[in-house]
Amino acid sequence: MREQTSPICPGCHDSASTPFYRVPAVPVHQVKLVPSRAAALACPKGDIELRFCARCGFVWNAAFVVALMRYEEDYESTQTVSPTFNRFHERLARDLIERFDLRRRTVVEVGCGQGEFITMLAEIGGNRGYGFDAVHRYGEGSDAVTFVKDFYSPAYAHLEPDFVCCKMTLEHVHDNGAFLRSMRLAIGDRPETVIFFMIPEVTRILELRAFWDVYYEHCSYYSPSALARHFRIAGFDPIDVWCDYDDQYVLIAARPGDGANPLLPNEHPAAALAPGIKAFAEGVAADLAAWRRRLRQLHQAGHKTVLWGGGSKAVAFLTTLGLDDEIGYTVDLNPRRAGTFIAGTGHAILAPEALQDDPPDTVVVLSPIYLPEITAQLRAMGVDPRSVLSVERPALPIAA
Ligand SMILES: [Zn+2]
């Protein structure tokens, strides 16, 4: 590590945190479009040192350097090329509209990306939508939504929204306490307003020792309990906190208040996460060694292995393991990624059709929720690898 990291928790400011996982020199960006192998190998890098706060249960990368981050137009994070994700996204929009009676209301999305979700919320519910995004290309095409290329802040308190949502953003925010507090100020003391967040869930990452879900852009990691606790600290009263999408995501709904409403049934003390932290810390090195050994053996035996997915998980999997020729290439459904390269390792990202020209023996799938979609597409293309395996349930490769 380049320098000593601070033990102070960005969420609750306690200083008794413990480091438990380190990965040096990983790409700071996972989903920028990298045009050449040389650029991929030379990409900016930073270190990961995950710390656990025993007071609030928060997990974060204490080696994160915010100044390294450049979220620009070449940042390609959309998940809406997958039919599985799109079905989930629309179900989520309909559920939120139903549950919080979002009809003819004012709805705000913070970090709206290309605006798919705020457009659904606005159009399905007949709502007035505002999509905020300070860095991404913003959407177009719906009269019901106004896109604002800015951070949502107290300067927009006059919008007086009935619903504010923020998906897949807080995990990128280092000073999460200040971020939540700013949201609280922007909403003001309007007790009927509902705030909704969705981010990756850390308990599952710990249980699966899912090192492919730990990467530089994600500096903040939450369990349901820790997320609720940080909402309380920021002056929100949690209404519900739950998991979805194969339990990969934690979702929370809350209202402005003083954070002192009764605990939800699934809000546990911070110490409840400690055994998971310990098990991850003790087991992950052996997992990494086993993956490296097995993938090397397969490669030496002339067996071709490819990864399905060229996004964040693929970058984390390849760079954390330090893989090279062991993986032939990666494929990705997102046409904007085809022809680009994996940051850090330089593996090619190709369209799935490449599998027809250069058929693999093994396809490694980084997210099992996509397995049915992927096996159907392989069948449709006439590609029949010896094995299609999920990193979460590795039937074959990590035996010694
Ligand atoms: Zn803390």
Side-chain angles (χ1 to χ4, degrees), residues 9 11-14 53 55-58 60 230:
C9 170
C12 77
H13 306 293
D14 195 76
C53 173
R55 179 160 173 248
C56 75
F58 184 50
W60 75 100
H230 282 196

Side-chain angles (χ1 to χ4, degrees), residues 17-33:
S17 69
T18 45
F20 68 94
Y21 178 57
R22 291 186 177 91
V23 192
V26 295
V28 301
H29 284 293
Q30 287 72 53
V31 292
K32 284 208 169 202
L33 300 172

Side-chain angles (χ1 to χ4, degrees), residues 79-98:
Q79 295 172 290
T80 57
V81 289
S82 158
T84 305
F85 185 82
N86 289 341
R87 279 194 297 277
F88 161 71
H89 221 194
E90 183 172 341
R91 170 171 64 79
L92 177 64
R94 291 185 184 281
D95 285 353
L96 292 170
I97 287 166
E98 203 53 47

Side-chain angles (χ1 to χ4, degrees), residues 26-34 42-46 64-77 133-137 149 151 172-173 216-219 336 343:
V26 295
V28 301
H29 284 293
Q30 287 72 53
V31 292
K32 284 208 169 202
L33 300 172
V34 184
C43 72
K45 298 183 180 74
F64 183 78
V65 178
V66 72
L68 291 174
M69 306 315 285
R70 297 273 182 277
Y71 291 108
E72 290 159 350
E73 297 283 302
D74 58 354
Y75 183 80
E76 179 54 45
S77 67
D133 203 308
V135 282
H136 299 170
R137 285 161 290 115
K149 193 165 186 173
F151 293 102
H172 297 258
V173 176
Y216 198 82
E217 275 174 11
H218 286 187
C219 50
R336 275 173 48 89

